[in-house]
Amino acid sequence: MDTINRVLQHPHVQRAAVAVTALSVAAVVAKSMMARNQATAEQKRLAAQKPGMVYLYQFPRLGNALNLSPYCVIVETFLRDNNIPYEPINGKVGLDASPNGRFPFINVNGEAIADSDTIVKRLSLIFNKPYAPTALLDRAASLMVVRLCSRALSLHYVRHLWVDHPQAIAPLLMSLLPPLGPLKRMIFNVIRQKSVRMLNLSGHGDLSQAEYHAQFSEDVGALSDVLAAVEAAQVTLSSYAKCVLFAFLHKIYMLPLCPAVERARTDPFIARFLRTTERTLFPDLAMLVPSRVTAYNHYSEQYVHRY
Ligand SMILES: N[C@@H](CCC(=O)N[C@@H](CS)C(=O)NCC(=O)O)C(=O)O
């Protein structure tokens, strides 16, 4: 007890305690001030909202890359592919405003809707756009593409970035956080641990490194085969399935190299599909392949975290 008291009374320990308390108080005050300003701006914006206009809430843009979140890319691509009028609200509102606490969410005619799949279904109804093809095989293939991407590829993507290459995602994520000094690194590590927990809960964490690499590569190969069938007019995918494919494949292209990423980057069907979709739907972003490939390559070893 005496030793503990002596340590606690040491001037260095007391100075450190004061500094940590001051930093925490400053962070809480800054966060509540930012939240209040955001809420007022959002109330004004909601009051001025136009009927029939879709307001898309998502993470801020990253230079000329689309969005950190593939789910945000799905919704924005679907809006553009179907000529639905929308306004992106990139990072101006926090996640706490979302009905499910995640991005993306939309607000249309006063209704807030979260989850990319639910959003696309709702938009198809409101704007009278087909959600799925009528031919049975096309409909089944479209659904399988959507599920393969959002249930399997998404887990490979998360594991590749957050477990194998956190140093690649750190600078991007840090650039989205407010200026909180050393707290930023703590926040990054909390988000990383949350992602790893999610992988373990889904069972993906049970796969060995070799098993996960093999599945990742097989999934990319299956998507390339589907795109080959689309080019040969053997199958027609829904607009939604193509948007999901675009969102995930364009993300995978950006990842640090591994056999599956190499497979995606050297695949002619994937390359053609990405180029055509980008040129048709996102000419304003001038997203060329080299800029996409370098997006995650600003490594910063200082953020590597062992756990
Ligand atoms: N099922 C959701 C997934 C959305 C999602 O996972 N969003 C992530 C980014 S990729 C997010 O907002 N994460 C923030 C958080 O969970 O705090 C969808 O399809 O929209």
Side-chain angles (χ1 to χ4, degrees), residues 180-199:
L180 293 172
L183 282 180
K184 274 175 127 179
R185 189 172 163 180
M186 274 168 59
I187 297 172
F188 176 78
N189 287 335
V190 168
I191 302 175
R192 183 171 187 223
Q193 273 156 4
K194 200 170 144 188
S195 303
V196 173
R197 253 198 315 277
M198 184 273 282
L199 284 172

Side-chain angles (χ1 to χ4, degrees), residues 59 68-71 95 100-104 114-117 194:
F59 294 108
L68 192 58
S69 158
Y71 301 100
L95 283 170
N100 70 354
R102 286 163 184 263
F103 281 149
D115 188 88
S116 57
D117 196 67
K194 200 170 144 188

Side-chain angles (χ1 to χ4, degrees), residues 3 7 25 129 160 175 177 200 205 211 296 307:
T3 324
V7 170
V25 171
K129 304 286 176 188
H160 191 68
S175 71
L177 294 174
N200 288 337
E211 286 164 343
Y296 284 113
Y307 58 99

Side-chain angles (χ1 to χ4, degrees), residues 35 38-39 42 57-58 91-98 101-103 105:
Q38 267 184 356
E42 177 56 5
Y57 294 77
Q58 53 182 354
K92 294 200 184 109
V93 169
L95 283 170
D96 44 358
S98 164
R102 286 163 184 263
F103 281 149
F105 74 98

Side-chain angles (χ1 to χ4, degrees), residues 2-301:
D2 266 2
T3 324
I4 294 175
N5 277 340
R6 237 179 296 128
V7 170
L8 288 178
Q9 277 160 15
H10 192 284
H12 283 166
V13 174
Q14 293 195 336
R15 267 201 296 273
V18 171
V20 169
T21 314
L23 211 63
S24 314
V25 171
V28 170
V29 171
K31 190 165 181 253
S32 86
M33 276 167 62
M34 268 162 53
R36 206 167 329 128
N37 287 346
Q38 267 184 356
T40 320
E42 177 56 5
Q43 271 160 12
K44 277 197 201 139
R45 207 200 50 70
L46 281 172
Q49 193 161 291
K50 298 185 210 106
M53 176 67 80
V54 177
Y55 296 87
L56 170 61
Y57 294 77
Q58 53 182 354
F59 294 108
R61 275 217 200 292
L62 294 163
N64 60 356
L66 268 171
N67 206 288
L68 192 58
S69 158
Y71 301 100
C72 295
V73 178
I74 294 172
V75 175
E76 187 158 19
T77 312
F78 185 80
L79 288 162
R80 287 188 178 213
D81 194 34
N82 290 281
N83 296 315
I84 298 174
Y86 79 100
E87 264 181 40
I89 315 282
N90 295 339
K92 294 200 184 109
V93 169
L95 283 170
D96 44 358
S98 164
N100 70 354
R102 286 163 184 263
F103 281 149
F105 74 98
I106 60 164
N107 195 305
V108 56
N109 301 331
E111 184 188 3
I113 309 160
D115 188 88
S116 57
D117 196 67
T118 312
I119 293 172
V120 167
K121 280 186 182 125
R122 194 83 188 95
L123 287 175
S124 306
L125 268 181
I126 298 174
F127 293 92
N128 196 22
K129 304 286 176 188
Y131 172 74
T134 40
L136 284 186
L137 205 56
D138 292 343
R139 193 175 337 159
S142 299
L143 184 66
M144 284 191 268
V145 162
V146 169
R147 296 287 192 259
L148 182 72
C149 290
S150 61
R151 301 283 157 92
L153 218 55
S154 65
L155 295 178
H156 303 320
Y157 171 74
V158 170
R159 180 156 171 180
H160 191 68
L161 263 187
W162 288 98
V163 177
D164 293 356
H165 297 280
Q167 73 278 27
I169 183 123
L172 283 184
L173 200 94
M174 299 287 178
S175 71
L176 297 181
L177 294 174
L180 293 172
L183 282 180
K184 274 175 127 179
R185 189 172 163 180
M186 274 168 59
I187 297 172
F188 176 78
N189 287 335
V190 168
I191 302 175
R192 183 171 187 223
Q193 273 156 4
K194 200 170 144 188
S195 303
V196 173
R197 253 198 315 277
M198 184 273 282
L199 284 172
N200 288 337
L201 282 172
S202 73
H204 198 279
D206 297 340
L207 297 176
S208 70
Q209 202 68 1
E211 286 164 343
Y212 127 72
H213 276 299
Q215 285 194 11
F216 192 179
S217 228
E218 282 159 14
D219 292 354
V220 168
L223 295 175
S224 156
D225 292 342
V226 171
L227 287 173
V230 169
E231 273 195 22
Q234 289 164 341
V235 68
T236 303
L237 294 179
S238 65
S239 159
Y240 176 36
K242 283 189 275 180
C243 295
V244 173
L245 259 180
F246 173 70
F248 279 95
L249 289 176
H250 124 282
K251 289 276 142 213
I252 289 188
Y253 234 77
M254 285 197 247
L255 292 174
L257 273 187
C258 75
V261 174
E262 177 84 49
R263 186 167 183 171
R265 283 199 204 164
T266 52
D267 186 279
F269 298 104
I270 294 181
R272 267 198 296 278
F273 170 73
L274 286 178
R275 247 196 319 272
T276 313
T277 312
E278 277 177 16
R279 287 194 184 146
T280 324
L281 297 181
F282 294 98
D284 47 327
L285 288 179
M287 288 191 310
L288 300 170
V289 170
S291 63
R292 237 191 296 117
V293 172
T294 52
Y296 284 113
N297 287 346
H298 305 290
Y299 278 26
S300 169
E301 291 298 329

